Amino acid sequence: MKSRDRLRIAMQKSGRLTEPAQELLARCGLKFRQSRDKLFCFGEGEPVDLLLVRDDDIPGLIAEGVCDLGIVGRNVLREFQLSQPEPGEGLAELRSLGFGRCRLSIAVPHEDGYDGPAQLDGRAIATSYPGLLGEWLRSHGVAARVVYLAGSVEIAPRLGTADAICDLVSSGATLVANQLREAAVVIESEAVLAGRRDLPADERGEIAELLLRRLDGVIQVRDSRLILLQAPRNALDDITRLLPGMPVPTLTAVDGAPDQVVVQALCAGSVSWRQLEDMKRAGARDMLVLPVEKMLA
Ligand code: PRP
Ligand code: ZN
């Protein structure tokens, strides 16, 4: 395999994950020049390039070493892992990214109703995820026939090719439109960063580590708020208990007011009006809640 000195990240060319994935990389300080064929985007600044492909192809591209990392649904990654001779080796989920949330679910025709896994015994279930469905069936002791379909899984029951389906559900609109009801969740999914278990031992490994650190910062920052307030020292315990995520605050003395202190704390999660009002009742004043732009531990 030819060695490369630039890191290559694969992501979905067009679909639900494309925009949020691009935004996430931009927040990590990565900029790309869009090439005319739009398959390959050259990275400006950092030595990181993008490959825009079909989401189902992403795990294979990483496994073959064409790409180093990929942003892909957990469902696609897990399905690929299950298709490998040694599912524990090879690819790993390096980070969960918090967008593109959906679930892989079994759904049955609306009029059938659902009263548990045993109902699926001896039935045919259409899916593009035979590995994940097979695992669920085994763990629930159900003997069903898995019918593999590459797409348009939701119409299989009406066509008579299957009794039920196992497909991704996001808003649920597809199920409603096809008179199907969600019966059981096989896995909860979201966008993840996939990569080989061991990062490349050359410069690419270093770039990947830099990217992972930035990514952790971006993910942490996205859900963090900096809160500033002033409070009497004797109210500190009560106020600190009200801070989301119970962070350890930094205290600064107030000149000329020895009983007062300025509190600064990084909160996990947003701070609601209700929480601010509770803190005010506990003695806090001059409260400020600020978004955090960057963080580096
Ligand atoms: C999935 C799935 C359904 C639809 C469900 O396909 O196959 O068709 O989304 O979403 P809904 O609950 O919001 O209606 P997707 O568009 O992700 O494409 P792909 O699975 O072919 O990549
Ligand atoms: Zn797809």
Side-chain angles (χ1 to χ4, degrees), residues 159-224:
L159 295 181
T161 44
D163 305 296
I165 67 163
C166 172
D167 199 12
L168 290 183
V169 181
S170 172
S171 65
T174 303
L175 293 187
V176 171
N178 291 279
Q179 290 112 51
L180 297 167
R181 81 163 74 215
E182 195 171 355
V185 176
V186 173
I187 63 158
E188 300 277 354
S189 186
E190 67 184 281
V192 302
L193 184 74
R196 278 182 300 280
R197 225 157 267 279
D198 329 285
L199 294 174
D202 50 21
E203 300 97 290
R204 283 177 295 155
E206 287 165 37
I207 308 163
E209 265 171 43
L210 173 105
L211 181 64
L212 285 175
R213 278 199 302 273
R214 288 190 187 176
L215 206 54
D216 289 338
V218 169
I219 293 168
Q220 209 185 340
V221 153
R222 193 178 51 194
D223 309 318
S224 298

Side-chain angles (χ1 to χ4, degrees), residues 223-225 244-245 247 266-270:
D223 309 318
S224 298
R225 297 291 180 274
L266 190 66
C267 301
S270 56

Side-chain angles (χ1 to χ4, degrees), residues 11 17 19 27-28 42 52 60 69-70 82 111 118 145 151 208 211 228 256 267 272 281 285:
M11 59 177 253
L17 302 186
E19 229 187 83
R27 279 173 174 258
C28 291
F42 183 81
L52 300 177
L69 299 171
L82 290 173
E111 63 275 14
R145 189 161 58 85
L211 181 64
L228 296 171
C267 301
S272 68
R281 264 191 293 278
R285 61 187 177 88

